[in-house]
Amino acid sequence: NWCVLYQGDESAGIQAVKCFDRVRFPFDAARDVYMNANTWGSRGSGKWSQEAANEANVLREIESCADLGIDVLQIDDGWAMDQEITHLTTDWNPLPYRFPEGWKRVKTAAKAAGVKMGLWFAWTAPLEQMKKNCDEGDFLYLKLDFALLNYRHLVDDFLAKAKAIDLH
């Protein structure tokens, strides 16, 4: 936990947090400068946004990212859901009804368009499956989601998994 002290009104408090953030998490141009789009979109939470994680939509989004100059497209939650969008897969492979040839078409389209790819995972997904998908789809960025890190061992597990993923 951090405690940021400041004097003044709410605006001064916001500025103090921003100053702290810049010191704690310094900017690195080689690492930090890119624009990221996400398939989740503006359809609200749940099923409607999860359904956007399908091949046809991802291919359209890759074209849009290339046209707009967006560097990375992240495929968000939904690529590993059953047809009713109610349960995550247990094997963490792209589901055939959403991605008939796995990541092949997405990888080819992204490479041709010059767009890098990112992929969503629940943080509890097995590390081996994360690496397998990253290799097969040429994913360079991951979003690890649903992390409830309310015990130290969970924080340690999360950090160990994050450190074990080498995407470059």
Side-chain angles (χ1 to χ4, degrees):
N1 292 327
W2 297 97
C3 179
V4 178
L5 303 176
Y6 66 95
Q7 288 183 326
D9 59 9
E10 182 180 0
S11 178
I14 292 169
Q15 185 62 39
V17 170
K18 287 181 180 182
C19 289
F20 169 80
D21 191 51
R22 288 182 195 122
V23 171
R24 178 66 179 95
F25 303 102
F27 174 76
D28 176 350
R31 177 195 69 209
D32 298 335
V33 180
Y34 66 91
M35 286 194 298
N36 186 69
N38 187 296
T39 60
W40 191 260
S42 58
R43 301 186 212 184
S45 63
K47 182 177 181 174
W48 298 111
S49 287
Q50 288 167 323
E51 287 179 351
N54 68 68
E55 185 176 271
N57 186 58
V58 169
L59 295 175
R60 283 191 302 270
E61 292 283 345
I62 289 170
E63 289 178 20
S64 179
C65 287
D67 184 48
L68 294 169
I70 295 173
D71 305 299
V72 179
L73 174 63
Q74 177 183 296
I75 301 173
D76 210 322
D77 187 5
W79 66 270
M81 301 292 288
D82 63 15
Q83 287 185 302
E84 289 77 37
I85 312 288
T86 55
H87 295 94
L88 283 169
T89 182
T90 56
D91 64 6
W92 290 95
N93 290 305
L95 297 174
Y97 80 95
R98 290 189 175 274
F99 296 90
E101 293 185 38
W103 299 124
K104 181 180 176 183
R105 291 182 189 153
V106 170
K107 181 179 180 177
T108 300
K111 184 174 183 174
V115 174
K116 296 174 185 167
M117 296 300 296
L119 189 61
W120 172 95
F121 280 97
W123 86 279
T124 55
L127 178 62
E128 298 76 28
Q129 284 300 99
M130 290 180 181
K131 288 181 177 182
K132 177 181 175 284
N133 279 280
C134 289
D135 290 343
E136 290 177 1
D138 201 21
F139 295 101
L140 299 176
Y141 301 89
L142 292 184
K143 173 184 176 184
L144 302 181
D145 207 353
F146 303 144
L148 177 59
L149 307 175
N150 52 348
Y151 295 99
R152 180 64 200 199
H153 75 278
L154 295 174
V155 173
D156 293 340
D157 292 349
F158 182 88
L159 292 174
K161 184 176 280 186
K163 289 177 183 176
I165 299 170
D166 182 9
L167 302 180
H168 299 287

